[in-house]
Amino acid sequence: MRIITGKYKGRHFEIPRSFKARPTTDFSKENIFNVLNGYIDFEDKTALDLFSGTGSITLELLSRGCSQVISIELDRDHHRFIQQCLQKLTADGKQPTAIPIRGDVFRFLKSCKQQFDFIFADPPYALTELPQIPNMIFEKNLLKEDGIFVLEHGKDHDFSQHPHFVEHRQYGSVNFSLFKATVKADE
């Protein structure tokens, strides 16, 4: 796993072979971030990384200048790996502002009172609650005005009718639906 760009560009982290997580591929991560550059400047923004798995997105967000990234991961080993990656960045004399939380994403969403400029969610594609995640984000008002939410999902989901949907991107078998906090104007 590597960091694509920013202050930690080129840093590599070896993911243990025993991991169950399916990290976002470097190819799809690079492409979706290229798209996101048209929507948001990550410098000094707050971000939330849901189902953070290996922490790849958290690290990328920190590298791109986010002032704070909260990452939520339930699996103990994955959470520990994210902490180790963050410690390696700190060992370089840099102080990333990341808060890795080991916990259930849905419990976190129910109790969260903070708003974010950017939210990324990469749930297991087979997760039965996956289709409800966009509604949970918007019902809890977790995005700041003009904030962006990205949901990574499999090909079986179509969010184009969601009122906050702005676009869909596909890279191989990886699908991203992008949502924006402001409601689309009626056409």
Side-chain angles (χ1 to χ4, degrees), residues 24-110:
T24 303
T25 65
D26 286 349
F27 174 76
S28 58
K29 180 170 64 171
E30 184 169 7
N31 280 292
I32 196 61
F33 272 96
N34 285 339
V35 170
L36 289 170
N37 285 336
Y39 287 99
I40 187 169
D41 175 5
F42 291 102
E43 192 69 34
D44 296 322
K45 298 294 192 277
T46 57
L48 176 62
D49 182 10
L50 301 171
F51 307 95
S52 50
T54 63
S56 173
I57 299 299
T58 293
L59 298 172
E60 193 68 39
L61 291 167
L62 290 169
S63 185
R64 290 169 185 258
C66 280
S67 60
Q68 180 189 60
V69 180
I70 297 175
S71 62
I72 313 297
E73 175 54 47
L74 183 60
D75 185 276
R76 180 188 69 231
D77 294 334
H78 297 182
H79 178 259
R80 186 178 309 123
F81 178 75
I82 294 167
Q83 289 178 310
Q84 290 169 351
C85 291
L86 293 169
Q87 287 171 352
K88 287 178 184 175
L89 296 182
T90 302
D92 288 346
K94 299 172 177 90
Q95 298 296 319
T97 307
I99 303 168
I101 297 173
R102 181 173 172 240
D104 179 78
V105 164
F106 298 105
R107 284 187 185 156
F108 177 84
L109 291 176
K110 285 179 185 174

Side-chain angles (χ1 to χ4, degrees), residues 115-128:
Q115 285 189 314
F116 301 89
D117 297 293
F118 180 74
I119 300 174
F120 187 93
D122 180 9
Y125 289 0
L127 185 71
T128 57

